[in-house]
């Protein structure tokens, strides 16, 4: 069990400090989102159904962290980061297809002023696809500049 907690996956001090900053940014976003949700609930404004609201807030923070990891070149899981982004993109696209199929069947994205269940799933799928898109863009950008440097 000691291996799980004390291993830093080969990150240097700079990456460890930046990883801590990413966690701080994520926690600040979570606190702001929960505070805003609390104020909206107190004012009797329902913006999404119960559990879907929690999923949107969860993925909002996760995607902030994952996108910041990509943009700052932090590899918290060593060489296994790529599979994380690829799987997230795959499942995000799958959820996007399911959400769009529900939309084409005539199910609405909103239920009055609030998101419906399908609308919340669409929002989560777009958040999942966002981090995958950032990962792909960073990869293409890096290879383009790598090829440019070799010339």
């Amino acid at each position: 069990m000691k291996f799980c907690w004390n291993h830093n996956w080969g990150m240097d001090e700079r990456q460890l400090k930046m990883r801590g900053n990413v966690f701080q940014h994520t926690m600040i976003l979570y606190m702001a989102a929960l505070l805003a949700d609390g104020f909206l609930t107190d004012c009797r404004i329902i913006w999404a159904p119960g559990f879907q609201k929690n999923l949107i807030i969860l993925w909002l923070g996760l995607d902030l962290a994952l996108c910041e990891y990509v943009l700052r070149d932090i590899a918290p899981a060593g060489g296994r980061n790529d599979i994380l982004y690829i799987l997230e993109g795959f499942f995000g696209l799958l959820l996007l297809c399911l959400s769009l199929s529900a939309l084409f069947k005539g199910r609405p994205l909103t239920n009055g002023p609030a998101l419906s269940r399908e609308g919340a799933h669409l929002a989560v799928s777009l958040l999942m696809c966002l981090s995958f898109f950032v990962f792909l863009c960073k990869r293409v950008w890096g290879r383009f500049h790598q090829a440019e440097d070799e010339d």
Side-chain angles (χ1 to χ4, degrees):
M1 190 66 171
K2 185 177 178 182
F3 171 76
C4 295
W5 296 106
N6 292 333
H7 199 276
N8 62 9
W9 300 102
M11 291 192 289
D12 58 1
E13 290 178 25
R14 180 189 65 85
Q15 283 187 333
L16 286 172
K17 182 174 167 79
M18 288 190 326
R19 184 180 71 170
N21 290 340
V22 170
F23 285 135
Q24 285 178 343
H25 299 157
T26 304
M27 288 305 297
I28 290 170
L29 178 70
Y30 278 143
M31 287 187 284
L34 290 174
L35 184 65
D37 179 51
F39 281 134
L40 290 173
T41 303
D42 192 45
C43 294
R44 292 186 171 84
I45 298 173
I46 306 297
W47 59 275
F51 184 67
Q52 279 73 27
K53 173 176 48 176
N54 298 334
L55 283 176
I56 291 171
I57 292 172
L58 173 75
W59 279 104
L60 188 65
L62 283 173
D63 279 338
L64 170 74
L66 290 173
C67 289
E68 202 167 346
Y69 280 154
V70 169
L71 294 174
R72 293 180 183 249
D73 292 324
I74 302 171
R80 297 183 296 194
N81 279 346
D82 295 353
I83 193 71
L84 172 72
Y85 294 109
I86 291 168
L87 285 175
E88 184 176 10
F90 173 73
F91 288 116
L93 287 173
L94 182 66
L95 186 58
L96 181 65
C97 291
L98 292 173
S99 299
L100 291 177
S101 71
L103 180 65
F104 290 136
K105 288 180 182 176
R107 296 183 190 149
L109 291 179
T110 59
N111 187 11
L115 286 174
S116 67
R117 186 173 184 223
E118 287 79 17
H121 287 165
L122 181 65
V124 169
S125 68
L126 291 175
L127 285 171
M128 292 173 79
C129 290
L130 173 70
S131 61
F132 178 66
F133 181 71
V134 168
F135 170 73
L136 284 180
C137 288
K138 180 73 175 190
R139 275 293 177 104
V140 169
W141 179 268
R143 293 200 182 184
F144 175 73
H145 284 292
Q146 183 182 24
E148 194 175 85
D149 290 341
E150 291 174 1
D151 289 340

